[in-house]
């Protein structure tokens, strides 16, 4: 987590990922994502959210056509 990060609410994190709030709450409850607990409030830093997306980004497989193996 970077000190300059903005802390996002669960709703803001869901909006950034294009998911529902329930998905973010499940990530939190299963401790699959780092979060900050401020009393009863939960926040997720922007860098943690970006790292979560980066870790789960799947690179494309080069097609056979690009490898010169096209039939």
């Amino acid at each position: 987590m970077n000190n300059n990060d903005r802390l996002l609410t669960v709703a803001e994190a869901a909006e950034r990922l294009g998911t529902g709030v329930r998905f973010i709450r499940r990530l939190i409850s299963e401790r699959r994502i780092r979060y900050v607990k401020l009393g009863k409030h939960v926040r997720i830093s922007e860098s943690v959210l970006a790292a979560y997306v980066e870790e789960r980004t799947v690179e494309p497989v080069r097609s056979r056509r690009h490898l010169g193996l096209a039939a």
Side-chain angles (χ1 to χ4, degrees):
M1 189 167 112
N2 184 337
N3 288 338
N4 296 329
D5 276 349
R6 180 166 174 256
L7 294 176
L8 305 173
T9 65
V10 171
E12 290 171 330
E15 186 177 331
R16 292 267 174 106
L17 291 183
T19 67
V21 172
R22 287 182 64 186
F23 176 72
I24 302 299
R25 292 203 186 280
R26 186 166 20 113
L27 292 178
I28 291 167
S29 70
E30 295 174 358
R31 297 192 182 217
R32 292 171 46 201
I33 194 167
R34 291 180 62 200
Y35 61 93
V36 178
K37 185 93 164 145
L38 303 168
K40 66 178 184 174
H41 303 284
V42 174
R43 299 291 184 262
I44 302 167
S45 72
E46 290 178 318
S47 66
V48 167
L49 202 60
Y52 179 81
V53 170
E54 182 66 30
E55 290 168 4
R56 283 149 184 83
T57 300
V58 178
E59 295 297 324
V61 176
R62 294 175 65 183
S63 71
R64 299 185 115 201
R65 187 172 296 171
H66 289 116
L67 296 175
L69 301 175

